[in-house]
Amino acid sequence: MSFGAWAIGGSWGNVDDAESMRALNAAIDAGVNFIDTADVYGMGRSERLIAQLKRERKETIVVATKAGRRLSPHTPDGYIKQNLTAFIEDSLRNLATDCLDLVQLHCPPTEVYYRPEVFSALDDLVSAGKIRFYGVSVEKVEEALKAIEFPNVQTVQIIFNCFRQRPADRFFSEAKQRQVGILARVPLASGLLTGKLRRDSQFAADDHRNFNRHGEQFDAGETFAGVDYDTALEAVEEIRRVLPAGVSMAQFALRWILMFDAVSCAIPGGKRPEQVAENCGASDLPPLSREQMEAVAKIYDSRVRALVHQRW
Ligand SMILES: NC(=O)c1ccc[n+]([C@@H]2O[C@H](COP(=O)([O-])OP(=O)(O)OC[C@H]3O[C@@H](n4cnc5c(N)ncnc54)[C@H](OP(=O)(O)O)[C@@H]3O)[C@@H](O)[C@H]2O)c1
């Protein structure tokens, strides 16, 4: 179980840096050693909080950041060495380090995966000692399959949760065979899979769950995993019926992800220490039973599959 640091940067309503630091510290207290962030999460805010965490803690903390989304317009032609180098220099400053552990291309347009020169530029940045490893964050399974044809792509970050199951169909076996790491993002379907959301839940104006439900600002799949809100709430109620005693829905949903051995980590977001502690508790749970796995598969097939399976 790792930590996703989007929400502590912004786009999820109001955040308080002191509370975000407590959330980050709760992750390290629980044994987390890997954090996912991006240069655009609060335009450096998330990265700078992580730098502060690294100053305060002695534990080894591996940080994955992302580059590319500051391009405006966000087009394939922007993915050139000069721009990537500039983004990486900014992340190095924000994270207060001289070499980034892992840099992921941040959901670039599909065309970028057909431009080997982009990956050569990343190889050059590795040779220059600016980044240790690189990977990609993708929207679609096909992008993931194409990306791992480049031999130095070490990781793929992809949406994978009880409501987004297609990556397990073909991509996981391929990634495992090539020893490519998988970061399962949006593991709680933006909070839906915690079971706390209701039909009348309100979200702040600057929370993407308010302004991006239909992909108004970025890919619709990033908000509620792309599932229609009301349909998702019905599916959540069905999952609630199969929860084991003493296990929260968030923990169940995260443990479900860890049932797939190709997955290197899940990166749930969290703005509060209690959320983070609860989420990390998922790694201590016993494996889900065959009946529980089948129940989730059935709920996906009957309620969710038609809405998402062939879209990403
Ligand atoms: N394109 C990309 O590369 C991309 C896109 C999206 C995400 N990501 C990465 O993936 C990470 C995870 O995805 P995500 O943050 O979008 O979604 P998520 O992990 O599915 O949901 C996170 C949100 O759910 C709520 N939550 C978390 N734990 C909870 C708990 N135990 N109880 C109740 N509520 C809880 C919190 O929001 P509230 O408390 O406000 O409800 C939290 O911000 C991100 O942080 C980011 O690192 C990357």
Side-chain angles (χ1 to χ4, degrees):
M1 202 54 58
S2 300
F3 182 88
W6 178 17
I8 63 166
S11 305
W12 289 76
N14 200 27
V15 271
D16 168 57
D17 286 349
E19 186 73 341
S20 298
M21 285 309 299
R22 283 191 282 277
L24 283 166
N25 273 293
I28 306 306
D29 291 343
V32 165
N33 65 358
F34 183 86
I35 300 177
D36 176 72
T37 184
D39 55 356
V40 285
Y41 296 166
M43 282 300 164
R45 185 180 186 180
S46 174
E47 289 182 327
R48 287 191 292 270
L49 288 169
I50 294 164
Q52 188 182 331
L53 179 78
K54 289 190 72 170
R55 276 193 296 273
E56 290 174 6
R57 301 289 301 227
K58 295 202 166 41
E59 293 88 343
T60 300
I61 302 169
V62 178
V63 181
T65 192
K66 311 190 195 77
R69 282 277 156 174
R70 283 163 62 203
L71 290 169
S72 180
H74 182 233
T75 57
D77 290 344
Y79 281 79
I80 55 172
K81 187 173 174 182
Q82 189 190 1
N83 290 336
L84 290 171
T85 304
F87 298 148
I88 280 162
E89 289 294 347
D90 287 344
S91 288
L92 286 166
R93 252 189 309 280
N94 287 332
L95 284 161
T97 183
D98 50 13
C99 181
L100 300 173
D101 297 324
L102 176 68
V103 170
Q104 304 154 97
L105 296 181
H106 198 166
C107 292
T110 306
E111 167 68 16
V112 164
Y113 300 104
Y114 295 84
R115 297 194 178 181
E117 57 275 23
V118 177
F119 297 86
S120 301
L122 291 168
D123 286 332
D124 290 347
L125 284 158
V126 172
S127 302
K130 299 285 181 188
I131 64 181
R132 201 156 291 136
F133 297 111
Y134 65 83
V136 295
S137 182
V138 301
E139 301 289 3
K140 296 180 169 68
V141 168
E142 282 66 27
E143 292 170 342
L145 288 165
K146 182 68 175 81
I148 63 175
E149 288 186 16
F150 295 97
N152 298 329
V153 167
Q154 307 284 352
T155 58
V156 171
Q157 181 177 142
I158 191 161
I159 299 182
F160 182 62
N161 61 43
C162 299
F163 290 165
R164 285 287 290 274
Q165 300 193 14
R166 187 166 174 252
D169 273 7
R170 279 178 55 217
F171 171 59
F172 282 6
S173 55
E174 200 61 33
K176 203 174 152 189
Q177 194 192 322
R178 292 176 191 250
Q179 293 192 292
V180 169
I182 295 176
L183 285 65
R185 81 166 178 271
V186 195
L188 297 170
S190 314
L192 271 172
L193 286 166
T194 68
K196 70 175 179 182
L197 299 182
R198 303 277 170 265
R199 241 170 257 287
D200 58 357
S201 295
Q202 300 289 317
F203 301 98
D206 58 346
D207 186 327
H208 71 102
R209 292 171 293 187
N210 182 329
F211 66 76
N212 194 56
R213 281 194 193 192
H214 306 289
E216 291 87 340
Q217 283 204 18
F218 42 84
D219 194 283
E222 307 297 349
T223 304
F224 300 130
V227 188
D228 166 68
Y229 189 68
D230 289 343
T231 310
L233 288 177
E234 289 166 13
V236 161
E237 288 317 307
E238 288 198 32
I239 294 178
R240 207 185 296 281
R241 282 185 223 132
V242 298
L243 285 187
V247 175
S248 73
M249 188 177 302
Q251 290 177 327
F252 179 84
L254 294 171
R255 189 65 184 88
W256 180 88
I257 291 173
L258 300 184
M259 293 297 289
F260 296 80
D261 67 349
V263 171
S264 311
C265 63
I267 49 170
K271 288 180 289 196
R272 295 203 306 281
E274 309 78 53
Q275 293 177 336
V276 175
E278 178 186 341
N279 296 343
C280 291
S283 359
D284 299 327
L285 295 178
L288 302 192
S289 66
R290 192 146 65 94
E291 291 73 24
Q292 288 162 341
M293 293 302 288
E294 281 170 7
V296 175
K298 205 167 150 205
I299 295 165
Y300 178 76
D301 285 346
S302 62
R303 296 217 176 246
V304 181
R305 177 184 277 272
L307 299 175
V308 299
H309 202 78
Q310 298 303 341
R311 291 189 194 280
W312 289 278

